Amino acid sequence: MTQLSRRAFLSTAGVLTGGALLSQSSLPAQPYSQEPNTTSALQTESVADYTLTIATNPIEIAPNRIMSVTTYNGQFPGPLLRFKEGQQVTVDVHNNTDTPEQLHWHGQMIPPDVDGAAEEGTPFIPPHGSRRIVFTPRPAGFRFYHTHVRAGANLSAGQYSGLVGPVYIEPKDNPGAYDREVFLTMKEFQPTLSRGGDMAMDFLSPATTVKTLKDHGESTMKTSLDQGNPHGFEVGYDSFTINGKMLGHGEPVRVKQGQRVLFHILNGSATEIRCLALPGHTFTIVAMDGNPLPKPVSVPVLWLGTAERISATVEMNHPGVWIMGDLSDDDRHHGMGIVVEYAGIRGKAQWIAPAPFRWNYTHFGRTGPIAPDPDEAFDMVFEKVNAAFEGFNLWTINGKSYPVGNMMAPATHHLHEGKRYRLRLRNASDDIHPVHLHRHTFELTRYAGLPTTGLMKDVVMVGGYQEVEIDFVANNPGATLFHCHQQLHMDFGFMSLFDYV
């Protein structure tokens, strides 16, 4: 990131390709089931609102830089799907690959049989088969869809692929206080495995850590290294894109002076935290993960963990040709940026680094009131077992790792409909974990010791050796998956299942 990007770190290590690393028996199993209404040919009594085809196609991210990637409808990102809040939609999904697939509707409150996670019981879309998905989109706002299969060491599967696309659910009442919308999806390609280190996290504020968590995590790691174990594998990338194009090779965002542009920005990465700045301009954030903030907040830089979304307006009041890009020079030079061009102005796009800025979630909530007491609280401790699974780190929640080879495991937490629950997230590792709760929206109630309310999300970054508290109401019955959205962590144990009783 600002000091040392993971790409830069990994480029100094001995890079290995994932396909040559593990035996076939090491890969997570991908069993699938078919419901009676899941067939190779969809019923044709009605026409779907949208059709998505999963297939492996060549994409060109820069002139003569072509790669074979699995995508939706042959493009990256997948097509923008615009739904209306509360109005039922039908989506036909065709899987033209040789492996079973899942399509997860991230951030939506829908039943588990269509949510798109096998761990919750959603049927797989079979190889060379199809599935019709019918649901009622909610809540309104910026959501997205993506594959939800485990990749293991297969760096062409899961979100290492191009199976990511934006969703916008139109609210019933939209004030439309902007002149135009621009959707941006950030994504890296050409992943490789290496013995790596942990990315910098000095952008998070407050930086308060918990001594007991740090002592335990560092002691455990030291013991592993003293025993002669290497660091567990990490993932790095050679190519960086916004909307599937490397910086300078896609169409610029063309604007006019005086316009108010609403940017919907998605971090579609499998593993990376991303940041964006636009020289001479300020982002006024109006929503996070599709949910409106208590009040708009202006910032010079955006930070997004994997799967986080930000909707922010920008007043176009600084004419020029600018690079909206990552703060990391290395990542930006390898493509992580897009040109913003004012009408009537030509020339080389310019980059000016902003002043240092720390990302504090509590600035986006309310600091006055204290969240109401929950009906029940669950402590969840995250730990890393270094290089424990054929060279990969194994991850545990409360000492238990989700079975690598199993789809459905017994629920670890039991919910009663209508009750308010608090998750006390305690990170005993030095990694940042963007954790995600399926099928629910949660409220951030405490971050690294600071109380807050009013910030509603479905992903939050938990810093190394830090504590975070989130509250949610059990208002969507059914199996509910909780996991780190970092693909490498999710694949190797960092998941837990809730159920309703």
Side-chain angles (χ1 to χ4, degrees):
M1 306 308 296
T2 49
Q3 271 69 37
L4 179 65
S5 72
R6 181 166 291 181
R7 183 199 169 279
F9 185 98
L10 293 172
S11 68
T12 67
V15 174
L16 302 171
T17 61
L21 184 64
L22 292 185
S23 65
Q24 189 66 28
S25 63
S26 304
L27 296 175
Q30 294 289 337
Y32 66 93
S33 63
Q34 284 186 255
E35 291 181 329
N37 64 348
T38 304
T39 60
S40 58
L42 293 169
Q43 297 176 357
T44 57
E45 68 273 12
S46 61
V47 177
D49 299 293
Y50 289 97
T51 298
L52 296 173
T53 299
I54 299 169
T56 301
N57 303 280
I59 63 170
E60 186 176 56
I61 62 173
N64 300 317
R65 194 158 189 158
I66 300 172
M67 59 192 65
S68 181
V69 178
T70 305
T71 61
Y72 297 113
N73 292 7
Q75 64 182 71
F76 183 86
L80 169 64
L81 306 183
R82 296 193 84 112
F83 302 144
K84 292 183 179 180
E85 184 181 14
Q87 183 172 309
Q88 182 176 282
V89 297
T90 300
V91 181
D92 285 348
V93 186
H94 304 285
N95 180 10
N96 290 353
T97 73
D98 295 328
T99 58
E101 267 295 345
Q102 287 282 6
L103 192 155
H104 171 48
W105 300 102
H106 185 116
Q108 294 201 47
M109 296 179 64
I110 55 179
D113 63 329
V114 293
D115 187 49
E119 294 82 4
E120 297 172 343
T122 308
F124 276 89
I125 306 161
H128 302 286
S130 303
R131 186 174 186 225
R132 169 160 287 189
I133 302 171
V134 181
F135 62 94
T136 300
R138 67 183 181 100
F142 185 27
R143 316 290 160 182
F144 77 116
Y145 60 100
H146 62 85
T147 181
H148 208 287
V149 299
R150 300 185 216 169
N154 181 357
L155 300 189
S156 63
Q159 281 197 238
Y160 301 119
S161 71
L163 292 175
V164 177
V167 169
Y168 193 77
I169 302 175
E170 300 282 357
K172 295 176 182 177
D173 180 22
N174 185 358
Y178 50 87
D179 298 306
R180 61 174 298 206
E181 292 177 291
V182 174
F183 289 81
L184 303 178
T185 299
M186 299 183 287
K187 183 79 166 67
E188 308 84 9
F189 290 99
Q190 296 179 296
T192 52
L193 289 173
S194 175
R195 301 291 186 185
D198 300 310
M199 67 171 57
M201 63 182 73
D202 62 333
F203 65 92
L204 285 176
S205 176
T208 309
T209 58
V210 179
K211 186 177 186 302
T212 54
L213 295 175
K214 186 173 183 178
D215 289 349
H216 177 76
E218 292 189 347
S219 174
T220 301
M221 177 60 77
K222 183 178 185 302
T223 298
S224 177
L225 297 177
D226 288 347
Q227 292 172 347
N229 295 317
H231 284 280
F233 287 107
E234 300 287 352
V235 177
Y237 304 86
D238 288 336
S239 299
F240 297 70
T241 70
I242 293 182
N243 286 357
K245 297 293 184 181
M246 299 178 70
L247 175 61
H249 299 297
E251 286 294 311
V253 178
R254 295 185 172 91
V255 301
K256 297 178 180 179
Q257 187 171 357
Q259 275 189 329
R260 193 169 192 240
V261 179
L262 175 59
F263 287 94
H264 298 291
I265 300 168
L266 161 64
N267 181 359
S269 176
T271 60
E272 294 292 287
I273 295 167
R274 296 259 58 100
C275 55
L276 276 182
L278 178 59
H281 298 78
T282 298
F283 298 96
T284 299
I285 301 176
V286 296
M288 285 183 161
D289 295 348
N291 306 302
L293 298 187
K295 62 178 180 180
V297 178
S298 295
V299 296
V301 178
L302 304 177
W303 288 90
L304 302 94
T306 56
E308 285 191 294
R309 289 91 64 212
I310 288 176
S311 297
T313 58
V314 177
E315 301 282 352
M316 292 301 164
N317 54 13
H318 193 55
V321 181
W322 303 106
I323 293 173
M324 179 190 287
D326 197 288
L327 299 186
S328 164
D329 291 342
D330 187 65
D331 290 0
R332 202 173 57 257
H333 292 159
H334 283 83
M336 188 51 73
I338 191 169
V339 174
V340 175
E341 178 184 280
Y342 277 74
I345 300 180
R346 297 291 181 269
K348 183 178 179 181
Q350 302 296 309
W351 168 258
I352 301 172
F357 177 75
R358 293 181 181 273
W359 191 251
N360 188 331
Y361 280 113
T362 66
H363 289 170
F364 307 110
R366 294 186 291 263
T367 56
I370 297 175
D373 291 335
D375 295 299
E376 190 173 356
F378 300 132
D379 288 331
M380 306 182 79
V381 180
F382 312 146
E383 294 182 79
K384 173 168 60 180
V385 188
N386 180 57
F389 191 89
E390 299 198 17
F392 285 85
N393 297 323
L394 200 63
W395 293 93
T396 66
I397 300 176
N398 294 346
K400 294 182 179 179
S401 182
Y402 199 95
V404 173
N406 294 345
M407 281 299 110
M408 298 192 71
T412 56
H413 299 83
H414 307 291
L415 310 175
H416 295 270
E417 187 174 3
K419 287 193 174 183
R420 181 182 178 94
Y421 291 89
R422 178 162 297 166
L423 303 183
R424 299 192 183 105
L425 312 177
R426 308 181 71 235
N427 184 5
S429 78
D430 54 0
D431 289 56
I432 297 175
H433 298 297
V435 296
H436 171 45
L437 182 65
H438 280 226
R439 306 177 52 252
H440 295 76
T441 298
F442 58 74
E443 180 179 19
L444 185 65
T445 52
R446 185 173 293 270
Y447 195 92
L450 292 183
T452 187
T453 60
L455 178 57
M456 310 301 294
K457 298 189 94 274
D458 56 56
V459 177
V460 65
M461 290 184 280
V462 182
Y465 307 126
Q466 290 195 321
E467 289 184 341
V468 174
E469 294 183 4
I470 60 175
D471 288 14
F472 70 98
V473 176
N475 56 3
N476 195 17
T480 299
L481 190 64
F482 171 90
H483 67 93
C484 179
H485 219 283
Q486 215 266 37
Q487 181 90 43
L488 200 60
H489 299 174
M490 180 188 83
D491 287 352
F492 293 99
F494 201 139
M495 293 194 293
S496 187
L497 193 66
F498 296 2
D499 67 3
Y500 280 69
V501 294

